[in-house]
Amino acid sequence: MKTLKNMTVALSLLGSLSLFSAEVEVLHWWTSGGEAKSVGALKTMLEKSGHTWKDFSVAGGNGVNAMTVLKSRVVSGNPPSAAQIKGPSIQEWAELGVVSDLNEVAKAGKWDERLPKMFSDHMKYEGKYVAVPVNVHRINWMWVNPAVFKKAGATIPKTWADFEVAAKKIKAAGFIPVAAGGQPWQEATVFETIVLGVGGADFYKKALVDLDLEALGSDTMKKSFDTLKMVKSFTDKNAPGRDWNLATAMVYKGEAAMQFMGDWAKGEFKVAGKVIGKDYVAIAAPQTNNKYLYNIDSFVMFKQKDAEKAKAQAKLSELILSDEFQIIFNTRKGSVPVTDGVSRDKFDPIAINSINQLNAAAKSGALLPSMAHQMAISDSIKGAVVDVVTNFYNSKMSSSDAAKLLVDAVKNEM
Ligand code: GAL
């Protein structure tokens, strides 16, 4: 009797699994060591819930390649179930009527109560949730190899003037001061970090969020461009085209002293078995202490022909905002939880510092969306801004010409 009862339970369990099990094809660009390990956590959790994960990864930092592939899949009428999409692009996709409404899952999971409004607003279209946030990354970090600094007799800089002094010493000692990846999005990442440091939070907001033409053409913007060129002069000849994670490796291998990069870099240090405080240190990039450029990764679910798939989409969304996932994923990825109230026990000192800096910045008005990581302005204007930055970075253009071009580029797109 007992065995029969067990069998019935097992069969009905199996039945319920197969009844509700569906495949979720997930488009993402998390292919570096740390990124792949992080997204692996989501795959495992989804599969434990009885659904199937179909991986659709498109390599290329910042999702530049992934977004091109996504557009062609949607145009051909065959969108993936879920895709990593961020910032104003979420609303642009929603406007086309191709994305799923996640409001029911959001209500059941109390997303409005658990997410800071500033972040949940990014996830909504016409007041309804159409995206699920995964994490909060901070952009304006400086990743440091303290042993290289020590060997060069240099001090870890807090201002751009100090940076120049330190970088000269590091170069003279035979090291590469700055590990750089010469790809437009990486150059734009360094640029926006400099704009925040040189101009301050209000200036950053005016120029790169509100697109105020006066700020874009100002002397402060010229100074930011000059600082960017100064930083470039401390990078190596092989930087063009280099992937960001290879630049991170230069820091932990002791070839380079610093990298300016968002905290997904920490995922690489971790995968390489490096120890915080001993092998590497992360502090705010010069002049950006207590200022915070945020970058929130999120997933949008696309409407599917097969209605069963909606259940799997809902499950994926629910899992992402669970405390369990927020902890596993973010401790691997280098980011911090997007939901309030998640235990900090498993987070390292860099993450704790990130959370503290986020809170300080939120109070002072210095919590700002990253332009380079698609959080601040529409994709088309962002593209125009990044083009100017890259053209300036890779030519002999003067900083006044760059500022003028920036104004023109933004005017043309508006
Ligand atoms: C960012 C993204 C991060 C990280 C990085 C490098 O735009 O938000 O999660 O993946 O690109 O690929």
Side-chain angles (χ1 to χ4, degrees):
M1 266 305 271
K2 212 170 165 206
T3 346
L4 200 65
K5 205 173 161 202
N6 282 349
M7 261 183 72
T8 323
V9 171
L11 275 175
S12 73
L13 243 169
L14 253 179
S16 69
L17 276 185
S18 57
L19 197 65
F20 295 119
S21 101
E23 180 190 272
V24 193
E25 186 184 21
V26 187
L27 170 65
H28 64 90
W29 63 87
W30 289 328
T31 55
S32 77
E35 290 175 328
K37 204 168 170 214
S38 314
V39 76
L42 189 54
K43 178 177 188 264
T44 307
M45 282 179 80
L46 183 82
E47 290 186 338
K48 261 197 201 153
S49 79
H51 296 289
T52 323
W53 173 283
K54 186 172 175 199
D55 203 61
F56 181 13
S57 60
V58 180
N62 189 237
V64 185
N65 304 338
M67 289 305 102
T68 312
V69 176
L70 174 65
K71 279 175 200 146
S72 69
R73 278 284 299 266
V74 180
V75 167
S76 65
N78 179 29
S81 267
Q84 201 185 333
I85 294 177
K86 303 191 300 185
S89 298
I90 295 173
Q91 285 75 35
E92 287 171 14
W93 280 109
E95 215 176 318
L96 298 178
V98 288
V99 312
S100 306
D101 181 343
L102 299 175
N103 234 32
E104 248 178 62
V105 198
K107 267 201 189 142
K110 299 194 165 58
W111 292 8
D112 268 342
E113 287 157 47
R114 296 172 58 220
L115 295 169
K117 184 168 179 322
M118 189 171 187
F119 297 159
S120 61
D121 279 351
H122 282 291
M123 307 299 140
K124 293 180 179 178
Y125 175 67
E126 294 183 335
K128 285 186 179 163
Y129 280 96
V130 290
V132 50
V134 176
N135 60 356
V136 186
H137 271 304
R138 185 193 195 196
I139 303 300
N140 51 305
W141 286 109
M142 181 171 76
W143 301 89
V144 169
N145 184 320
V148 175
F149 268 83
K150 203 164 169 215
K151 283 180 199 154
T155 311
I156 299 175
K158 294 213 166 86
T159 65
W160 285 111
D162 291 349
F163 164 88
E164 199 168 356
V165 175
K168 278 181 186 157
K169 285 189 185 165
I170 293 162
K171 199 171 176 180
F175 298 98
I176 300 163
V178 177
Q183 293 170 352
W185 73 269
Q186 294 189 63
E187 292 155 5
T189 300
V190 182
F191 172 70
E192 69 175 16
T193 295
I194 291 174
V195 170
L196 180 70
V198 167
D202 288 347
F203 178 78
Y204 176 95
K205 183 169 180 295
K206 257 193 208 153
L208 298 183
V209 183
D210 300 339
L211 300 170
D212 176 288
L213 298 179
E214 210 178 292
L216 289 169
S218 66
D219 285 346
T220 308
M221 188 53 80
K222 288 176 206 160
K223 201 171 165 201
S224 303
F225 275 117
D226 286 332
T227 308
L228 179 65
K229 262 294 161 63
M230 183 274 286
V231 172
K232 188 194 175 187
S233 72
F234 293 107
T235 63
D236 68 322
K237 279 199 204 80
N238 298 326
R242 179 186 285 138
D243 287 330
W244 67 270
N245 52 323
L246 300 181
T248 308
M250 290 166 67
V251 177
Y252 64 66
K253 284 181 183 158
E255 296 162 14
M258 304 165 252
Q259 182 187 21
F260 297 101
M261 186 52 61
D263 38 22
W264 47 90
K266 194 172 67 187
E268 302 309 299
F269 285 101
K270 285 199 160 176
V271 164
K274 301 296 167 188
V275 178
I276 298 174
K278 180 176 152 274
D279 303 319
Y280 69 108
V281 173
I283 64 160
Q287 298 167 204
T288 69
N289 194 38
N290 283 332
K291 301 186 182 92
Y292 199 110
L293 293 184
Y294 69 85
N295 168 30
I296 300 178
D297 288 308
S298 45
F299 283 99
V300 165
M301 311 292 157
F302 281 87
K303 285 181 187 159
Q304 299 290 305
K305 286 181 195 125
D306 175 359
E308 279 301 301
K309 288 193 174 165
K311 287 182 189 147
Q313 290 179 324
K315 189 69 196 172
L316 188 71
S317 311
E318 181 196 315
L319 289 172
I320 288 174
L321 282 195
S322 67
D323 282 9
E324 188 191 351
F325 175 75
Q326 287 291 315
I327 294 171
I328 301 182
F329 180 83
N330 288 306
T331 47
R332 293 181 182 182
K333 186 76 164 59
S335 37
V336 297
V338 66
T339 39
D340 284 334
V342 176
S343 160
R344 295 182 179 194
D345 290 358
K346 297 237 158 53
F347 287 91
D348 60 52
I350 297 175
I352 301 293
N353 184 21
S354 179
I355 296 171
N356 292 339
Q357 296 250 333
L358 193 156
N359 292 334
K363 279 198 191 114
S364 71
L367 177 60
L368 295 154
S370 158
M371 181 279 300
H373 293 271
Q374 296 101 311
M375 297 303 301
I377 50 182
S378 78
D379 236 24
S380 56
I381 306 188
K382 183 216 128 187
V385 170
V386 173
D387 279 353
V388 174
V389 173
T390 294
N391 288 339
F392 168 78
Y393 193 87
N394 294 296
S395 72
K396 293 208 159 64
M397 188 189 293
S398 72
S399 58
S400 353
D401 284 349
K404 267 190 217 124
L405 272 180
L406 201 54
V407 172
D408 290 346
V410 169
K411 258 196 209 157
N412 281 342
E413 290 291 332
M414 287 211 299

